[in-house]
Every structure is written in structure tokens, then in C-alpha cells.
Amino acid sequence: DTRRSITRGTRPYMSSAIQPSSSRILLGIDAGGTFTDFVCVETDAEKEVSIRIHKTLSSPAAPEQAILRGIREMGLQAALDNGALHIVHGSTVATNAALEGKGARTAFVTNTGFADMLEIARQTRPALYALEPAPARVKVPRELCLEIEGRIAADGTQVEPLSDEAIADLVQQLVALKPEAVAINLLFSFLAPAHEQRIEAAIERALPDVLVSRSSRVLPEYKEYERGVATWLNASLGPVVYRYLSTLEKELSGNSLQIMQSSGETIAAAKASRTAVNLLLSGPAGGLTALHALGLQTGTSRFISFDMGGTSTDVALLDGAPVTTNEGTIAELPVGVPMVDMHTIGAGGGSIAALDTGGMLQVGPRSAGAVPGPVCYGQGGTQVTVTDAHVVLGRIDPSSTLAGGLTLDSAAALEALERLGAAMGVDAKTAAEGVLAVANEQIAAAIRLISVNRGYNPQDFTLTSFGGAGGLHVCALAEAMNMTRALVPIHGGVLSALGMIVAQPGRQLSRTATALLSDLTDAEIENGLAELEAQGRAELTAEGAQGPLAAKSSVDLRYKGQSYTLNVPWHSRAQAKQAFVALHRQRFGYDHDTELELVNLRSAVTAQGVELVLPRADSENTNRSTKSAANRVHSTHPASLAATYGSGAYPSIRREALDEHEREGPLVIIELAATTFVAPGWCAKRDAIGNIELRKR
């Protein structure tokens, strides 16, 4: 089957949290904007592990249809019918709803006088010299912004009581407005949540079909605007996620289903719709989780990664395990819940290239998506994309069969680039090179943002690409960052789906507890952390997690008088202070001789996940005839392009033909889920488990 890649080994997967039976099949699914990726891990009676990968075209209007189609195409329908699948799923449903403003009709409840909280936002200018800055993106209709009495002070004491009459009046307003969801965000509720809890209980009694989201549960931290945005997003996305997951669970009835969270941990599908805001980076988090697991097996821990799919590119820096941030954004909105620390830009394989009104070449953020897709897909697309540029330059073999049975129409791609080139005053080849140069510079700028701007030297890291389009850009980006080493992981085209399988069930909990660090004892801080840890353990246990649960504690600190915090691990006050000073010096280049202030307590609780050791790539076990065919070098230029640009096509080989001996570029390495372009001046070889190691000569 040309759509499958199978590797075998002798190390079985293990999981105390999932505890699959010997017949259970692990299936990681990453539903992207263009393709839906699958990684299937099975063990046979001899405890031998096999890994299969698969891609199919996404179905954005009904994402579950692509999932069911992929399960059938992989021959897993019988396992699905027998309830033998354990599925971990990363989805863009919440992300797309947030980006497109297609959340549920949501009422926003806050204190008297603060109905405009989300509209006013922060008085910071995204463009410093713009005299008329654009208003905040959150547009809650005026009639859905409701106020209520009852006020908590900054020290947690009650300033104004909340009466039963006021709650009853609020409920009557909601009955008349008929929202699908309600977000409750009262001042200082993270210190005293009783008012929010009373309002929540009253709404749920009167409107049992309405999803209620309160800030003291979603994000019990200071900063009322950021907390309000997170709570409003959670409420508005909840019904959308619930409808999707309900449909998916019905179709997957009898099979275990976990959902990937933005923090890189999984949550039971039944709980996910209540924490929809935690799913915004569901897919990208899987790639970093897999990369960390891969690094543990290869003995490498320092990566700069970029995950380039059809619609966007996610850039991250790993110096050990993936780290989370509480300063993420989505559609220019702050998202204060934990998510993997990465930067996303609208540059992917399907990004559209066009001239702006000034004649400047622009690439993205608009994407051709799955439908109609790039011109070369032959599905009605007419606008040039990054993928079309690669086809014209001979970096994608037009004879390859893509996911969904697609075949490339190189002639159509050439015609589209000729039209763009004519508008630019150049030929099609030069136009294609220009498209890739613009896309590469956008990604390089994102890499500088998460590395150089934070005090890291990119040359100390290995540039790692994954996603369907990543391997086509890895050498150019390494050169742009003066890096001499790069890596394309095994199964890199579906790495996020692999990360779903190895992710751990977990919870990340936080609470604001502002005080001078010197005014607290170690025991007082540890008691607060212990309360958060106990909550996380209880939630995981209720989901059925078994075996040992692990907890990591950390604190957010800042110098007295600052507003910006840094997160450091917690062991003691002395250790936390030392770690904070070192991190502040690295990040900003200086430190202060002033007191430290504790702002937030954090606890990450995880259950034991799947331990998956990738088998060694043993060329001696490869069928000789298959290996011979894979090793055959041929041209990536079809006749239509060779007639235009001559016979200087790039040689190409199948990925399985690589061994431990270096091959010099230029070279195109072909596999099911992705393509890698080894640029001139670079060498490529395979490591022990099948990763492509790239080295600048």
C-alpha cells in the first residue's frame, strides 16, 4: 500500500494511565486545515510494535468525516466497530471558530460599571504611532453585556453584597436574551469566588441547556481583561466544541477518545467542551511533544522547530522539555491559559502569493486550504501558492500520489506562475523563487523572535522541520539563521499525530497569590501549591487515570514595581530567587537589586503516558527489491517544465533509500507524508532510527 509506511521493532508501548489491552490499537489524529494526519501503533502477539502513517484531505465543514474516512482507508473499520481503538485527537475546531468569529451567542456578565471591559481592553497600542488605533477585536453585542451588583475588594473582602433579587433579575434578562453560553467575570473573583459560584448555580438551574463559564474556574488569576477574554472565549467556543465532539463520540462509540490540549497534555473528550479555551493549540502542541520524545531517544535536547503545514507555520524553541506560556494570543486576543510556547504565522504550503496594491509580492496569510487547494492539486484552485512554486522549481515530484488520491498538475502550476511572473515582469521560475524567498523570510523572522530576541544563539540548536511542507524549506532557513545542522524527523510529515500518542493526560492549574517573597515562608507557598496539586490529582483520578501521578510546581515572580512576570520552578524561596535573577538577566540583559514579588502559583499534574520507543532503521531487514527501487535516482522535472527550463532537474530518491552514508545535494527526498529538499552545499544521511540528518558542507 503506497499510502502506508510501516516500521517494526521489539519494544511494546506501555501506559499506566491508558492501560490498553493487548488488542487495543493506539491512533493519533491531527486534523489540520488541509490534511488530516494519522499515526497508528499496534502490537502483535510477539509484542512487536508496528507504526503506520496515513494522510487524507480534511473536510473543514464536517471534520469528523475526514477522520472516519481515514479510519476506513487504514483498514481499521473492524477495530472501530469492536471498540478496540484508543484515539487521541488534536483538532482545529476551536481555533477556526475563534479566528473566524463563529463562536456561540454568548452573554458577558460582570460588575456594575464594567460592561465595556472587553471593548476597552488594554490601553496599549499595537502600532506605536497610529493616532487612531483599532478597537479590540472582541465585539460582544451591547445587549449581551450585563452588569450585576456585588463587589469584592483587592484584598478579597466584600465591598458590596450580592442579593438574591439581583441574581433573579439577571436570570430573567438571560431568559429573554436566549444565549447559548454565559461568561461570568467579576472583579477579584480569583480571591473570593462565592459571588460567581452563586450566579453560575442560578443560571444552570434556570437555563440547563446553556453553557456557563466563570472566570474563577477558567483562569483564577489577576488582570480582569485577560481573565475576561479567556472566560468569554471558553464560553463562546464551548458549544461549538461540544457539538463537534458529541458527533465524533457518537461515530466512535465504544472507543476511548482523548483530546489534546494546548499545553501538550490530554483530557477526556467528555470534559473537553467545558475547557474549550484550552484547545486552541491542540494540534501544534502534539508536534513539540513528539519532538521531545524523539530527543530523549536520540540524546538531543536543544531544538529550534518549525511545523509547516498547509495553512500556517508554528515556530518554537526547545531547551529540554516543551515549556508553556500564559501569554499566548489568538486573533490578536490575549489567551491567559497555559499553552506550549510557540509563535504562529500565516505562511504554509497553501499560502496564497499575490501582488498588493503597490505591486509588492505578498505570501499569506490567506490560504487556499483543502478546497480548492493549490493550483497543482487540480481541484479548481487558480491562485498561486507556495506549493505551486515548489512544483515549478522541481522540488516536488509531480508523479507522486498525494493524500486523497490527488495527482499533481504541474502544467497548471506553471501556467499560474507565468501569470504571476508577467505581473511582476519576470519569468515563472523567478516568480517561484520570489514566492519562496518571501515565505522563508517570514518564517526566519519568527525564528529570530523566539531565539535571538530571547537571548539564545540559534547556532547552539538543531533546526528541526516537520509538517507536510517543512522539509522543503529547512535548508534555506538554516542558512538564513547561520545554522549548520538540521533534522527532519522520521514521520515528520505527521509528527503532530505521533505526539498525540505519546502525550500524557494532565492538568495545569494556577492561582494568583500576590505578596512579597520575603513576607512568606516556604511552608506557606508549598501549602498553596499543594492545594492546586490535590485538585489536579482529583480531576485526573476522576477521569480514570491509574498508576503514579507526577506533579511539578512553579511560581511567577517579578521585581517589585514591575508588571511583567517570569515563571521559574519551585523548590524553595532561595532557589526560586536565584533562578529568577538568572532568567531575567538572560532575557533582558540586566537584573535589579530590589525585592521580589510572588504573583502566581502553578502546578502541573500528569499521569503516565505511552512510552513509545521507535525501532531502529535496519537497512539489512529491508526487502532488497524494494530498496533497489527506492534507491533509483530520477528527475523531479516533468517534460512540460524541462522544455521551459532545460534538463537541469533535481535528482530524487525515496526516503527509505537513505543510509548512514552522506548524500550531497541538490537532492529531493520523497516519502508519503512529506518531501525534503537537500539544497546545494548540504549533505543528508539517515540516523539509527530513520531521522534525516542534514549538514552544511
Side-chain angles (χ1 to χ4, degrees):
D1 186 345
T2 58
R3 296 186 185 182
R4 298 179 184 177
S5 171
I6 302 178
T7 57
R8 303 187 71 83
T10 57
R11 180 79 178 268
Y13 60 77
M14 296 178 290
S15 172
S16 64
I18 298 170
Q19 289 194 328
S21 66
S22 59
S23 61
R24 176 146 293 189
I25 300 169
L26 298 177
L27 185 63
I29 304 175
D30 177 30
T34 306
F35 289 106
T36 297
D37 302 338
F38 300 80
V39 172
C40 178
V41 177
E42 302 175 74
T43 54
D44 58 22
E46 286 75 35
K47 303 295 183 182
E48 195 171 79
V49 177
S50 68
I51 301 175
R52 292 190 291 152
I53 68 174
H54 183 71
K55 292 177 84 79
T56 190
L57 279 173
S58 296
S59 49
E64 71 278 359
Q65 295 304 313
I67 292 174
L68 296 172
R69 182 172 66 249
I71 289 174
R72 290 193 299 270
E73 291 171 351
M74 294 189 77
L76 296 174
Q77 187 63 48
L80 178 69
D81 295 339
N82 294 331
L85 295 180
H86 173 78
I87 300 171
V88 184
H89 175 35
S91 171
T92 58
V93 169
T95 310
N96 293 341
L99 292 173
E100 298 169 10
K102 294 182 178 179
R105 176 177 168 85
T106 302
F108 181 72
V109 178
T110 188
N111 294 96
T112 301
F114 287 84
D116 296 325
M117 178 188 299
L118 300 186
E119 185 81 14
I120 296 174
R122 291 291 177 197
Q123 293 301 299
T124 53
R125 292 174 180 244
L128 183 60
Y129 297 106
L131 297 179
E132 297 181 0
R137 186 176 179 274
V138 178
K139 294 292 185 183
V140 184
R142 172 63 58 183
E143 69 273 13
L144 291 177
C145 293
L146 307 178
E147 299 179 344
I148 191 170
E149 66 179 30
R151 185 73 173 266
I152 301 298
D155 60 359
T157 60
Q158 180 174 275
V159 175
E160 180 185 33
L162 175 62
S163 66
D164 292 339
E165 292 77 11
I167 295 177
D169 181 61
L170 173 68
V171 170
Q172 288 305 311
Q173 294 180 64
L174 292 172
V175 169
L177 291 170
K178 298 180 180 179
E180 292 182 76
V182 177
I184 308 170
N185 184 45
L186 303 184
L187 297 179
F188 301 108
S189 60
F190 56 89
L191 296 175
H195 286 182
E196 283 195 353
Q197 292 169 341
R198 288 175 58 199
I199 295 171
E200 177 186 43
I203 296 172
E204 289 181 338
R205 285 194 301 269
L207 301 169
D209 296 329
V210 172
L211 185 146
V212 183
S213 180
R214 59 177 170 87
S215 68
S216 50
R217 179 168 57 194
V218 174
L219 188 64
E221 298 181 17
Y222 80 122
K223 295 184 180 179
E224 68 277 359
Y225 168 65
E226 288 78 2
R227 182 159 40 91
V229 169
T231 306
W232 177 80
L233 279 171
N234 195 66
S236 65
L237 299 177
V240 178
V241 172
Y242 175 77
R243 285 192 289 268
Y244 168 62
L245 291 181
S246 295
T247 301
L248 184 60
E249 282 190 289
K250 183 178 179 181
E251 298 289 351
L252 303 177
S253 178
N255 294 273
S256 170
L257 178 62
Q258 292 265 324
I259 306 299
M260 191 73 169
Q261 299 179 99
S262 302
S263 58
E265 297 129 354
T266 66
I267 185 173
K271 303 285 187 181
S273 61
R274 301 287 299 185
T275 59
V277 72
N278 294 85
L279 309 181
L280 289 170
L281 287 186
S282 179
L288 297 187
T289 303
L291 185 57
H292 175 58
L294 197 68
L296 292 176
Q297 188 166 342
T298 60
T300 306
S301 62
R302 309 193 86 189
F303 300 99
I304 291 177
S305 72
F306 70 100
D307 176 4
M308 190 172 186
T311 303
S312 62
T313 296
D314 303 305
V315 178
L317 183 145
L318 268 68
D319 192 1
V323 298
T324 59
T325 179
N326 297 80
E327 298 177 348
T329 60
I330 183 78
E332 301 179 354
L333 295 176
V335 182
V337 299
M339 56 178 59
V340 289
D341 190 4
M342 63 171 49
H343 184 69
T344 301
I345 61 171
S351 292
I352 294 172
L355 301 182
D356 63 16
T357 55
M360 182 76 72
L361 179 63
Q362 302 288 338
V363 179
R366 291 190 305 127
S367 172
V371 179
V375 177
C376 61
Y377 284 7
Q379 297 192 118
T382 59
Q383 295 179 290
V384 171
T385 68
V386 171
T387 298
D388 296 312
H390 283 298
V391 170
V392 167
L393 293 175
R395 299 179 181 183
I396 300 178
D397 187 350
S399 65
S400 300
T401 300
L402 304 180
L406 291 176
T407 56
L408 292 178
D409 187 343
S410 55
L414 177 59
E415 182 180 344
L417 262 300
E418 286 175 339
R419 290 196 301 270
L420 178 62
M424 297 169 61
V426 299
D427 61 19
K429 179 175 182 291
T430 303
E433 291 171 342
V435 170
L436 298 186
V438 172
N440 286 337
E441 179 51 36
Q442 291 176 343
I443 302 172
I447 292 175
R448 295 186 195 101
L449 189 66
I450 57 94
S451 58
V452 177
N453 287 20
R454 297 183 179 183
Y456 293 100
N457 184 353
Q459 297 178 31
D460 296 333
F461 295 79
T462 299
L463 183 65
T464 306
S465 71
F466 50 97
L472 290 164
H473 296 256
V474 64
C475 290
L477 289 170
E479 290 185 355
M481 302 306 300
N482 292 319
M483 301 171 73
T484 59
R485 292 172 292 129
L487 184 77
V488 180
I490 187 170
H491 308 313
V494 293
L495 197 69
S496 289
L498 180 63
M500 309 294 172
I501 290 177
V502 299
Q504 299 172 303
R507 293 289 189 279
Q508 298 229 8
L509 303 158
S510 64
R511 189 179 70 203
T512 291
T514 305
L516 288 176
L517 190 62
S518 59
D519 289 345
L520 300 170
T521 65
D522 285 6
E524 288 173 326
I525 296 173
E526 286 165 1
N527 287 339
L529 292 168
E531 292 177 6
L532 294 176
E533 179 182 334
Q535 180 184 342
R537 289 179 178 274
E539 291 182 10
L540 287 176
T541 301
E543 281 189 15
Q546 301 178 22
L549 300 178
K552 293 183 179 180
S553 298
S554 64
V555 292
D556 292 348
L557 301 177
R558 66 188 179 193
Y559 285 116
K560 183 181 178 181
Q562 286 185 330
S563 61
Y564 187 83
T565 64
L566 293 175
N567 179 261
V568 295
W570 169 261
H571 298 289
S572 67
R573 285 182 302 161
Q575 170 275 328
K577 180 177 180 178
Q578 183 179 12
F580 173 84
V581 171
L583 183 57
H584 195 281
R585 189 180 297 119
Q586 175 191 321
R587 186 72 57 88
F588 304 112
Y590 68 95
D591 58 77
H592 283 301
D593 184 18
T594 188
E595 289 191 277
L596 293 186
E597 193 173 28
L598 171 68
V599 180
N600 296 313
L601 304 174
R602 302 190 184 278
S603 180
V605 185
T606 56
Q608 185 175 339
V610 172
E611 181 186 349
L612 178 64
V613 178
L614 294 172
R616 294 180 62 86
D618 186 358
S619 59
E620 297 302 321
N621 293 336
T622 305
N623 180 278
R624 291 184 182 275
S625 62
T626 301
K627 183 179 179 183
S628 176
N631 202 31
R632 194 174 299 128
V633 177
H634 60 281
S635 166
T636 57
H637 264 196
S640 61
L641 298 184
T644 304
Y645 301 120
S647 59
Y650 298 118
S652 68
I653 60 170
R654 299 291 302 179
R655 180 167 182 155
E656 55 265 31
L658 277 181
D659 54 26
E660 67 277 7
H661 300 100
E662 287 188 334
R663 289 179 180 264
E664 295 187 359
L667 180 68
V668 174
I669 303 172
I670 303 168
E671 57 184 304
L672 163 69
T675 300
T676 300
F677 176 62
V678 184
W682 286 78
C683 298
K685 68 176 183 177
R686 188 207 69 203
D687 72 4
I689 62 175
N691 301 311
I692 299 176
E693 294 182 343
L694 298 164
R695 179 181 65 84
K696 176 73 173 175
R697 289 204 303 270

